[in-house]
Amino acid sequence: MLTINEHHLKLQASYLFSDIAKRVAAFQVEHPEREVIKLGIGDVTRALPQACVDAFHKAVDEMADDATFRGYGPEQGYEFLREAIAVNDFQARGAHISSDEIFVSDGAKCDTGNIQELFSTDIKVAIPDPVYPVYLDTNVMAGRTGVFADGRYQGVVYLDCTRANHFVPALPAEAVDLIYLCFPNNPTGSTITKEELKTWVDYARENQALILFDAAYEAFIRDESLPRSIYEIEGAKEVAIEFRSFSKNAGFTGTRCAYTIVPKECVAYDSRGSKQAIHPLWNRRHCTKFNGVSYPVQRAAEAVYSDEGKREVKELTDYYMRNADLVRREIGALGYDSVGGENSPYIWIDGGRKSWEFFDLLLDRSGVVCTPGAGFGKCGEGYIRISAFNSYENVERAMQRIQEALASQ
Ligand code: MLT
Protein backbone atom coordinates (compact mmCIF):
# COMPACT_ATOMS: atom_id res chain seq x y z
CA MET A 1 0.00 0.00 0.00
CA LEU A 2 1.37 3.37 -0.97
CA THR A 3 1.32 5.73 2.00
CA ILE A 4 1.82 9.46 1.84
CA ASN A 5 3.95 11.97 3.68
CA GLU A 6 1.25 12.94 6.16
CA HIS A 7 2.94 16.21 7.03
CA HIS A 8 1.41 17.53 3.80
CA LEU A 9 -2.02 17.02 5.35
CA LYS A 10 -1.18 19.59 8.02
CA LEU A 11 -0.97 22.36 5.43
CA GLN A 12 -3.75 24.90 5.27
CA ALA A 13 -6.17 24.42 2.36
CA SER A 14 -4.31 26.02 -0.53
CA TYR A 15 -1.42 28.33 -1.22
CA LEU A 16 -2.43 31.94 -0.44
CA PHE A 17 -2.02 33.31 -3.95
CA SER A 18 -3.91 30.40 -5.53
CA ASP A 19 -6.72 31.04 -3.06
CA ILE A 20 -6.90 34.71 -4.04
CA ALA A 21 -6.76 33.88 -7.75
CA LYS A 22 -9.73 31.53 -7.29
CA ARG A 23 -11.78 34.18 -5.48
CA VAL A 24 -10.98 36.77 -8.15
CA ALA A 25 -11.87 34.31 -10.95
CA ALA A 26 -15.23 33.60 -9.24
CA PHE A 27 -15.88 37.34 -8.92
CA GLN A 28 -15.16 37.83 -12.62
CA VAL A 29 -17.56 35.03 -13.58
CA GLU A 30 -20.27 36.66 -11.48
CA HIS A 31 -19.51 40.18 -12.70
CA PRO A 32 -18.19 39.91 -16.26
CA GLU A 33 -18.86 43.62 -16.80
CA ARG A 34 -16.56 44.74 -13.96
CA GLU A 35 -12.93 45.55 -14.68
CA VAL A 36 -10.59 44.22 -12.00
CA ILE A 37 -7.30 45.94 -11.09
CA LYS A 38 -4.80 43.56 -9.53
CA LEU A 39 -2.60 44.90 -6.77
CA GLY A 40 -2.44 41.53 -5.04
CA ILE A 41 0.40 39.17 -5.92
CA GLY A 42 3.71 40.95 -6.43
CA ASP A 43 3.93 40.21 -10.13
CA VAL A 44 5.65 42.75 -12.36
CA THR A 45 3.79 44.20 -15.34
CA ARG A 46 6.42 46.09 -17.34
CA ALA A 47 8.55 44.66 -20.15
CA LEU A 48 12.07 43.37 -19.62
CA PRO A 49 14.84 45.98 -19.87
CA GLN A 50 15.98 46.43 -23.50
CA ALA A 51 19.54 45.40 -22.55
CA CYS A 52 18.16 42.05 -21.33
CA VAL A 53 15.97 41.59 -24.40
CA ASP A 54 18.93 42.24 -26.74
CA ALA A 55 21.15 39.77 -24.85
CA PHE A 56 18.30 37.23 -24.80
CA HIS A 57 17.84 37.50 -28.63
CA LYS A 58 21.54 37.23 -29.26
CA ALA A 59 21.79 34.10 -27.11
CA VAL A 60 18.81 32.51 -28.86
CA ASP A 61 20.59 33.13 -32.18
CA GLU A 62 23.66 31.36 -30.76
CA MET A 63 21.48 28.40 -29.92
CA ALA A 64 20.28 28.32 -33.54
CA ASP A 65 23.76 27.72 -34.93
CA ASP A 66 25.70 24.42 -34.50
CA ALA A 67 28.92 26.37 -34.05
CA THR A 68 27.68 28.32 -31.02
CA PHE A 69 24.95 26.00 -29.71
CA ARG A 70 25.16 25.01 -26.02
CA GLY A 71 23.67 21.95 -24.33
CA TYR A 72 23.77 21.37 -20.57
CA GLY A 73 25.50 24.19 -18.76
CA PRO A 74 27.11 24.12 -15.32
CA GLU A 75 24.41 23.38 -12.72
CA GLN A 76 25.66 26.26 -10.58
CA GLY A 77 25.33 28.74 -13.42
CA TYR A 78 27.68 30.06 -16.10
CA GLU A 79 30.80 31.80 -14.84
CA PHE A 80 29.97 34.95 -16.84
CA LEU A 81 26.84 35.47 -14.74
CA ARG A 82 28.26 34.36 -11.39
CA GLU A 83 31.24 36.69 -11.80
CA ALA A 84 29.02 39.64 -12.79
CA ILE A 85 26.87 39.02 -9.68
CA ALA A 86 29.87 38.72 -7.33
CA VAL A 87 31.51 41.90 -8.61
CA ASN A 88 28.44 44.12 -8.92
CA ASP A 89 26.12 43.01 -6.14
CA PHE A 90 28.68 42.23 -3.45
CA GLN A 91 32.30 43.24 -4.01
CA ALA A 92 31.20 46.73 -5.12
CA ARG A 93 29.55 47.12 -1.70
CA GLY A 94 32.49 45.79 0.27
CA ALA A 95 31.11 42.27 0.75
CA HIS A 96 33.69 39.60 -0.06
CA ILE A 97 31.60 37.11 -1.98
CA SER A 98 33.30 35.14 -4.74
CA SER A 99 31.68 33.73 -7.86
CA ASP A 100 31.98 30.11 -6.66
CA GLU A 101 29.80 30.92 -3.65
CA ILE A 102 26.91 31.79 -5.98
CA PHE A 103 24.36 29.26 -7.19
CA VAL A 104 22.18 30.45 -10.07
CA SER A 105 18.66 29.02 -10.06
CA ASP A 106 15.18 29.45 -11.50
CA GLY A 107 13.74 31.27 -8.51
CA ALA A 108 14.16 32.48 -4.95
CA LYS A 109 10.86 30.79 -4.13
CA CYS A 110 12.34 27.39 -5.00
CA ASP A 111 15.62 28.12 -3.22
CA THR A 112 14.05 29.44 -0.01
CA GLY A 113 11.73 26.42 -0.10
CA ASN A 114 14.41 23.83 -0.84
CA ILE A 115 17.25 24.94 1.41
CA GLN A 116 15.68 23.45 4.55
CA GLU A 117 16.27 19.95 3.10
CA LEU A 118 19.88 20.23 4.27
CA PHE A 119 18.96 20.38 7.93
CA SER A 120 17.61 17.78 10.32
CA THR A 121 13.94 17.66 11.18
CA ASP A 122 14.41 18.10 14.93
CA ILE A 123 15.88 21.61 14.79
CA LYS A 124 14.11 24.70 16.14
CA VAL A 125 13.00 27.00 13.36
CA ALA A 126 12.22 30.69 13.90
CA ILE A 127 9.86 32.22 11.36
CA PRO A 128 8.50 35.78 11.32
CA ASP A 129 4.76 36.39 11.50
CA PRO A 130 3.52 37.71 9.08
CA VAL A 131 5.67 35.88 6.55
CA TYR A 132 6.04 34.87 2.91
CA PRO A 133 4.18 31.50 3.16
CA VAL A 134 6.89 29.42 1.45
CA TYR A 135 9.26 29.42 4.44
CA LEU A 136 6.63 28.04 6.78
CA ASP A 137 4.90 25.63 4.41
CA THR A 138 8.12 23.92 3.35
CA ASN A 139 9.04 23.30 6.99
CA VAL A 140 5.56 21.88 7.58
CA MET A 141 5.98 19.55 4.57
CA ALA A 142 9.35 18.41 5.92
CA GLY A 143 7.80 17.45 9.25
CA ARG A 144 9.44 20.12 11.38
CA THR A 145 6.14 21.23 12.96
CA GLY A 146 3.21 19.85 14.83
CA VAL A 147 -0.38 20.42 13.81
CA PHE A 148 -2.01 23.77 13.03
CA ALA A 149 -3.97 25.00 16.04
CA ASP A 150 -5.34 28.44 16.80
CA GLY A 151 -3.71 29.99 13.74
CA ARG A 152 -0.24 28.57 14.27
CA TYR A 153 1.79 25.41 13.79
CA GLN A 154 2.99 23.79 16.97
CA GLY A 155 6.73 23.60 17.39
CA VAL A 156 7.59 26.72 15.38
CA VAL A 157 9.12 29.72 17.13
CA TYR A 158 7.14 32.62 15.68
CA LEU A 159 8.80 36.01 15.55
CA ASP A 160 5.98 38.53 15.89
CA CYS A 161 6.26 41.56 13.64
CA THR A 162 3.86 44.21 14.85
CA ARG A 163 3.41 47.94 14.85
CA ALA A 164 5.03 47.96 18.34
CA ASN A 165 8.37 46.67 16.99
CA HIS A 166 8.08 48.53 13.65
CA PHE A 167 7.61 45.15 11.97
CA VAL A 168 11.20 44.13 12.76
CA PRO A 169 11.16 41.09 15.06
CA ALA A 170 12.94 40.91 18.39
CA LEU A 171 15.47 38.14 19.02
CA PRO A 172 13.76 34.93 20.17
CA ALA A 173 13.48 34.30 23.89
CA GLU A 174 14.43 30.62 23.43
CA ALA A 175 17.40 29.20 21.51
CA VAL A 176 16.68 28.53 17.83
CA ASP A 177 18.77 26.91 15.09
CA LEU A 178 17.40 28.20 11.80
CA ILE A 179 16.13 31.76 11.34
CA TYR A 180 14.27 33.18 8.35
CA LEU A 181 14.56 36.93 7.75
CA CYS A 182 13.40 38.94 4.74
CA PHE A 183 14.31 42.61 4.21
CA PRO A 184 12.96 44.75 2.62
CA ASN A 185 10.15 42.68 3.97
CA ASN A 186 7.48 40.78 2.18
CA PRO A 187 4.68 41.34 3.14
CA THR A 188 5.06 44.40 5.40
CA GLY A 189 7.52 46.45 3.34
CA SER A 190 9.50 47.21 6.51
CA THR A 191 13.28 47.53 6.46
CA ILE A 192 16.08 46.66 8.87
CA THR A 193 19.03 48.85 9.81
CA LYS A 194 22.62 47.61 9.87
CA GLU A 195 22.62 47.83 13.67
CA GLU A 196 19.46 45.73 13.95
CA LEU A 197 20.74 43.16 11.47
CA LYS A 198 24.00 42.94 13.39
CA THR A 199 22.10 41.79 16.50
CA TRP A 200 20.79 38.83 14.45
CA VAL A 201 24.23 38.00 13.06
CA ASP A 202 25.69 38.15 16.58
CA TYR A 203 22.85 35.98 17.88
CA ALA A 204 23.47 33.36 15.18
CA ARG A 205 27.20 33.34 15.92
CA GLU A 206 26.61 32.92 19.65
CA ASN A 207 23.98 30.20 19.24
CA GLN A 208 25.46 28.09 16.40
CA ALA A 209 22.42 29.09 14.37
CA LEU A 210 22.00 29.95 10.69
CA ILE A 211 20.14 32.89 9.12
CA LEU A 212 18.34 32.45 5.81
CA PHE A 213 18.21 36.02 4.51
CA ASP A 214 15.79 36.73 1.68
CA ALA A 215 16.89 39.92 -0.09
CA ALA A 216 14.66 39.57 -3.17
CA TYR A 217 13.52 43.21 -2.83
CA GLU A 218 16.88 44.92 -2.22
CA ALA A 219 16.68 46.87 -5.52
CA PHE A 220 13.84 48.95 -4.04
CA ILE A 221 15.98 50.32 -1.22
CA ARG A 222 16.32 54.09 -1.61
CA ASP A 223 17.79 54.88 1.80
CA GLU A 224 21.51 54.38 1.25
CA SER A 225 22.16 53.72 4.94
CA LEU A 226 20.16 50.46 4.82
CA PRO A 227 21.94 47.15 4.16
CA ARG A 228 21.23 45.55 0.77
CA SER A 229 22.98 42.34 1.72
CA ILE A 230 23.50 40.60 5.04
CA TYR A 231 27.16 40.24 4.08
CA GLU A 232 27.56 43.97 4.70
CA ILE A 233 27.49 42.93 8.36
CA GLU A 234 30.77 41.69 9.81
CA GLY A 235 30.81 37.97 10.57
CA ALA A 236 27.70 37.20 8.50
CA LYS A 237 29.55 34.94 6.07
CA GLU A 238 29.85 32.27 8.77
CA VAL A 239 26.17 32.27 9.69
CA ALA A 240 24.05 33.42 6.74
CA ILE A 241 22.79 32.25 3.38
CA GLU A 242 21.30 34.95 1.15
CA PHE A 243 18.66 34.67 -1.56
CA ARG A 244 18.36 37.09 -4.48
CA SER A 245 16.18 37.27 -7.55
CA PHE A 246 15.98 38.97 -10.94
CA SER A 247 12.16 38.77 -10.74
CA LYS A 248 11.37 42.09 -9.12
CA ASN A 249 14.33 44.27 -10.13
CA ALA A 250 14.48 43.31 -13.82
CA GLY A 251 11.00 41.88 -14.34
CA PHE A 252 12.01 38.20 -14.62
CA THR A 253 8.91 36.70 -12.91
CA GLY A 254 8.01 34.95 -16.16
CA THR A 255 11.58 34.54 -17.38
CA ARG A 256 12.88 32.86 -14.19
CA CYS A 257 16.34 33.55 -12.82
CA ALA A 258 17.59 33.98 -9.27
CA TYR A 259 20.59 33.07 -7.18
CA THR A 260 21.59 31.91 -3.72
CA ILE A 261 24.81 32.72 -1.92
CA VAL A 262 26.27 30.00 0.25
CA PRO A 263 29.59 31.27 1.62
CA LYS A 264 32.35 28.71 2.08
CA GLU A 265 32.66 29.68 5.78
CA CYS A 266 29.02 28.87 6.49
CA VAL A 267 28.66 25.83 8.75
CA ALA A 268 26.13 23.57 10.42
CA TYR A 269 26.83 20.65 12.76
CA ASP A 270 26.55 16.88 12.47
CA SER A 271 25.10 14.66 15.20
CA ARG A 272 28.52 14.42 16.85
CA GLY A 273 28.71 18.20 17.05
CA SER A 274 31.41 18.48 14.36
CA LYS A 275 31.30 21.40 11.97
CA GLN A 276 30.16 20.65 8.44
CA ALA A 277 30.48 23.21 5.65
CA ILE A 278 27.10 23.92 4.04
CA HIS A 279 28.52 24.88 0.64
CA PRO A 280 29.40 21.31 -0.50
CA LEU A 281 26.05 20.03 0.79
CA TRP A 282 24.08 22.60 -1.20
CA ASN A 283 26.32 22.04 -4.22
CA ARG A 284 25.63 18.29 -4.06
CA ARG A 285 21.91 18.83 -3.67
CA HIS A 286 21.80 21.41 -6.47
CA CYS A 287 23.74 19.19 -8.91
CA THR A 288 21.56 16.18 -8.11
CA LYS A 289 18.20 17.89 -8.44
CA PHE A 290 18.77 20.79 -10.83
CA ASN A 291 20.20 21.08 -14.33
CA GLY A 292 20.77 24.80 -14.50
CA VAL A 293 18.97 27.83 -15.89
CA SER A 294 18.80 28.07 -19.67
CA TYR A 295 21.70 29.76 -21.44
CA PRO A 296 19.65 32.59 -23.03
CA VAL A 297 18.06 33.44 -19.67
CA GLN A 298 21.48 33.64 -18.01
CA ARG A 299 22.73 35.91 -20.79
CA ALA A 300 19.64 38.11 -20.27
CA ALA A 301 20.37 38.21 -16.52
CA GLU A 302 24.02 39.08 -17.15
CA ALA A 303 22.84 42.14 -19.11
CA VAL A 304 21.33 43.54 -15.89
CA TYR A 305 24.94 44.41 -14.96
CA SER A 306 25.79 46.28 -18.17
CA ASP A 307 25.71 50.11 -17.98
CA GLU A 308 22.50 50.18 -19.99
CA GLY A 309 21.02 47.35 -17.90
CA LYS A 310 21.81 49.13 -14.63
CA ARG A 311 20.18 52.33 -15.88
CA GLU A 312 17.09 50.49 -17.11
CA VAL A 313 16.69 48.48 -13.89
CA LYS A 314 16.85 51.73 -11.91
CA GLU A 315 14.17 53.21 -14.19
CA LEU A 316 11.97 50.14 -13.74
CA THR A 317 12.22 50.10 -9.97
CA ASP A 318 11.73 53.90 -9.85
CA TYR A 319 8.55 53.44 -11.86
CA TYR A 320 7.12 50.99 -9.32
CA MET A 321 8.33 53.13 -6.41
CA ARG A 322 6.34 56.06 -7.82
CA ASN A 323 3.27 53.79 -7.64
CA ALA A 324 4.17 52.84 -4.07
CA ASP A 325 4.46 56.48 -3.12
CA LEU A 326 1.04 57.21 -4.58
CA VAL A 327 -0.58 54.31 -2.67
CA ARG A 328 1.09 55.39 0.56
CA ARG A 329 -0.05 59.01 0.23
CA GLU A 330 -3.61 58.19 -0.83
CA ILE A 331 -4.12 55.58 1.86
CA GLY A 332 -2.77 58.00 4.45
CA ALA A 333 -5.14 60.71 3.21
CA LEU A 334 -8.00 58.27 3.77
CA GLY A 335 -6.95 58.03 7.41
CA TYR A 336 -5.36 54.56 7.38
CA ASP A 337 -2.02 53.75 9.01
CA SER A 338 0.50 52.03 6.80
CA VAL A 339 4.15 51.00 6.60
CA GLY A 340 6.34 50.12 3.66
CA GLY A 341 6.36 51.66 0.22
CA GLU A 342 9.44 53.80 0.89
CA ASN A 343 12.13 51.20 0.33
CA SER A 344 9.90 48.41 -0.86
CA PRO A 345 7.14 47.80 -3.41
CA TYR A 346 4.66 46.66 -0.74
CA ILE A 347 2.41 48.82 1.43
CA TRP A 348 1.06 47.19 4.58
CA ILE A 349 -2.17 48.81 5.65
CA ASP A 350 -4.00 48.60 8.96
CA GLY A 351 -7.55 48.13 7.67
CA GLY A 352 -9.26 48.39 11.05
CA ARG A 353 -11.27 45.22 10.35
CA LYS A 354 -10.66 41.56 9.47
CA SER A 355 -8.28 41.17 6.53
CA TRP A 356 -10.53 38.98 4.37
CA GLU A 357 -13.47 41.29 5.10
CA PHE A 358 -11.43 44.24 3.79
CA PHE A 359 -10.28 42.15 0.81
CA ASP A 360 -13.92 41.34 -0.08
CA LEU A 361 -14.99 44.95 0.41
CA LEU A 362 -12.30 46.28 -1.93
CA LEU A 363 -13.03 43.61 -4.52
CA ASP A 364 -16.83 44.01 -4.39
CA ARG A 365 -16.99 47.78 -4.24
CA SER A 366 -13.94 48.86 -6.20
CA GLY A 367 -12.87 45.83 -8.23
CA VAL A 368 -9.39 46.14 -6.70
CA VAL A 369 -7.48 43.03 -5.63
CA CYS A 370 -5.17 43.28 -2.62
CA THR A 371 -3.67 40.55 -0.44
CA PRO A 372 -5.31 39.90 2.94
CA GLY A 373 -2.70 40.18 5.69
CA ALA A 374 -4.17 37.23 7.60
CA GLY A 375 -2.96 34.98 4.76
CA PHE A 376 0.60 35.74 5.87
CA GLY A 377 0.07 34.74 9.50
CA LYS A 378 -1.79 35.49 12.69
CA CYS A 379 -0.07 38.86 13.20
CA GLY A 380 -1.25 39.86 9.71
CA GLU A 381 -4.88 39.80 10.81
CA GLY A 382 -6.44 43.24 10.40
CA TYR A 383 -3.99 44.24 7.66
CA ILE A 384 -4.00 44.14 3.88
CA ARG A 385 -1.03 44.36 1.53
CA ILE A 386 -1.12 46.48 -1.62
CA SER A 387 1.51 45.78 -4.25
CA ALA A 388 2.96 48.59 -6.37
CA PHE A 389 3.45 46.30 -9.38
CA ASN A 390 1.08 47.63 -12.02
CA SER A 391 0.93 50.60 -14.39
CA TYR A 392 0.82 54.06 -12.82
CA GLU A 393 -2.51 54.66 -14.55
CA ASN A 394 -4.01 51.53 -13.02
CA VAL A 395 -2.71 52.39 -9.57
CA GLU A 396 -4.20 55.89 -9.89
CA ARG A 397 -7.56 54.43 -10.94
CA ALA A 398 -7.43 51.82 -8.18
CA MET A 399 -6.80 54.45 -5.52
CA GLN A 400 -9.60 56.62 -6.89
CA ARG A 401 -11.99 53.66 -6.74
CA ILE A 402 -10.86 52.68 -3.24
CA GLN A 403 -11.46 56.25 -2.09
CA GLU A 404 -15.00 56.19 -3.51
CA ALA A 405 -15.70 52.72 -2.10
CA LEU A 406 -14.59 53.65 1.40
CA ALA A 407 -16.37 57.00 1.32
CA SER A 408 -19.67 55.32 0.45
CA GLN A 409 -19.62 52.80 3.32
C1 MLT B 1 4.20 37.98 -3.41
O1 MLT B 1 3.24 38.54 -3.91
O2 MLT B 1 4.35 37.86 -2.19
C2 MLT B 1 5.25 37.46 -4.32
O3 MLT B 1 4.97 37.76 -5.63
C3 MLT B 1 5.34 36.03 -4.23
C4 MLT B 1 6.55 35.51 -4.91
O4 MLT B 1 7.45 36.25 -5.29
O5 MLT B 1 6.58 34.29 -5.05
Side-chain angles (χ1 to χ4, degrees):
M1 182 176 64
L2 178 65
T3 53
I4 55 159
N5 170 357
E6 290 204 8
H7 299 303
H8 284 242
L9 300 179
K10 295 177 193 161
L11 290 168
Q12 296 310 288
S14 68
Y15 184 60
L16 173 64
F17 295 105
S18 323
D19 220 15
I20 294 170
K22 272 190 222 134
R23 287 204 190 204
V24 174
F27 176 83
Q28 286 180 307
V29 168
E30 254 179 67
H31 307 280
E33 75 295 351
R34 300 274 303 277
E35 184 221 19
V36 166
I37 302 177
K38 293 184 180 166
L39 303 179
I41 190 165
D43 193 5
V44 294
T45 56
R46 290 177 73 78
L48 295 176
Q50 193 56 44
C52 299
V53 174
D54 292 344
F56 214 164
H57 278 158
K58 186 162 170 276
V60 170
D61 287 343
E62 285 178 52
M63 297 298 267
D65 183 340
D66 286 349
T68 48
F69 169 81
R70 303 201 188 206
Y72 291 125
E75 293 93 342
Q76 301 85 348
Y78 283 102
E79 186 55 22
F80 61 76
L81 177 56
R82 297 169 89 197
E83 184 61 20
I85 292 168
V87 169
N88 289 282
D89 284 343
F90 298 99
Q91 292 163 15
R93 295 188 64 83
H96 303 293
I97 297 295
S98 59
S99 63
D100 59 357
E101 294 173 304
I102 293 165
F103 293 84
V104 176
S105 78
D106 60 349
K109 178 180 185 174
C110 318
D111 288 349
T112 54
N114 291 330
I115 194 83
Q116 49 75 30
E117 284 180 20
L118 300 186
F119 310 111
S120 64
T121 47
D122 57 0
I123 55 168
K124 268 273 173 235
V125 183
I127 297 188
D129 178 357
V131 76
Y132 179 46
V134 173
Y135 315 155
L136 185 57
D137 287 0
T138 52
N139 277 287
V140 174
M141 291 171 181
R144 260 181 220 101
T145 74
V147 295
F148 190 75
D150 192 23
R152 289 189 156 178
Y153 287 99
Q154 290 165 355
V156 173
V157 175
Y158 285 91
L159 305 170
D160 289 359
C161 301
T162 62
R163 193 202 311 249
N165 59 24
H166 307 288
F167 302 94
V168 176
L171 295 175
E174 59 186 292
V176 297
D177 306 303
L178 190 64
I179 301 156
Y180 288 80
L181 294 178
C182 170
F183 288 103
N185 187 256
N186 180 14
T188 68
S190 63
T191 51
I192 194 165
T193 63
K194 283 188 180 155
E195 294 68 33
E196 288 166 332
L197 193 51
K198 184 174 181 312
T199 64
W200 283 98
V201 169
D202 291 347
Y203 174 91
R205 288 166 66 89
E206 281 155 24
N207 290 277
Q208 298 179 312
L210 180 77
I211 299 171
L212 300 176
F213 190 73
D214 185 348
Y217 297 94
E218 62 77 32
F220 297 89
I221 291 177
R222 293 294 176 269
D223 176 346
E224 279 303 319
S225 71
L226 296 172
R228 284 171 178 258
S229 165
I230 196 165
Y231 305 119
E232 290 174 38
I233 310 300
E234 208 190 315
K237 279 189 79 178
E238 288 155 44
V239 291
I241 288 175
E242 182 166 306
F243 304 90
R244 293 274 189 110
S245 171
F246 293 101
S247 284
K248 316 289 161 125
N249 61 347
F252 274 49
T253 54
T255 306
R256 310 306 308 150
C257 198
Y259 59 93
T260 290
I261 298 99
V262 186
K264 300 244 180 75
E265 293 95 318
C266 223
V267 294
Y269 299 84
D270 63 25
S271 55
R272 290 181 308 281
S274 308
K275 278 185 182 175
Q276 296 288 340
I278 297 175
H279 185 280
L281 300 180
W282 183 246
N283 188 50
R284 184 71 171 80
R285 189 251 172 233
H286 196 74
C287 294
T288 303
K289 295 197 177 184
F290 188 63
N291 250 343
V293 173
S294 83
Y295 172 70
V297 168
Q298 292 194 58
R299 279 294 185 201
E302 180 197 20
V304 162
Y305 301 104
S306 64
D307 289 345
E308 190 196 348
K310 284 179 188 167
R311 187 178 48 71
E312 289 177 327
V313 163
K314 176 73 173 37
E315 269 169 28
L316 256 184
T317 54
D318 280 348
Y319 181 93
Y320 293 125
M321 289 308 286
R322 183 166 167 245
N323 294 350
D325 189 51
L326 178 67
V327 174
R328 231 167 31 82
R329 282 188 285 108
E330 295 287 320
I331 219 72
L334 286 168
Y336 290 89
D337 267 354
S338 73
V339 284
E342 286 172 294
N343 294 285
S344 116
Y346 296 129
I347 300 95
W348 187 243
I349 300 160
D350 185 347
R353 70 198 90 194
K354 295 263 185 210
S355 301
W356 279 104
E357 201 183 297
F358 206 21
F359 171 90
D360 285 335
L361 183 139
L362 292 189
L363 184 58
D364 288 344
R365 301 239 186 117
S366 61
V368 174
V369 181
C370 66
T371 308
F376 295 105
K378 203 172 178 177
C379 292
E381 183 55 277
Y383 288 85
I384 57 157
R385 190 193 76 177
I386 288 192
S387 149
F389 294 116
N390 211 313
S391 68
Y392 187 74
E393 295 68 32
N394 277 348
V395 173
E396 254 184 335
R397 288 192 307 128
M399 296 317 295
Q400 178 66 35
R401 290 199 213 161
I402 290 176
Q403 189 186 29
E404 286 159 11
L406 295 178
S408 70
Q409 298 183 72

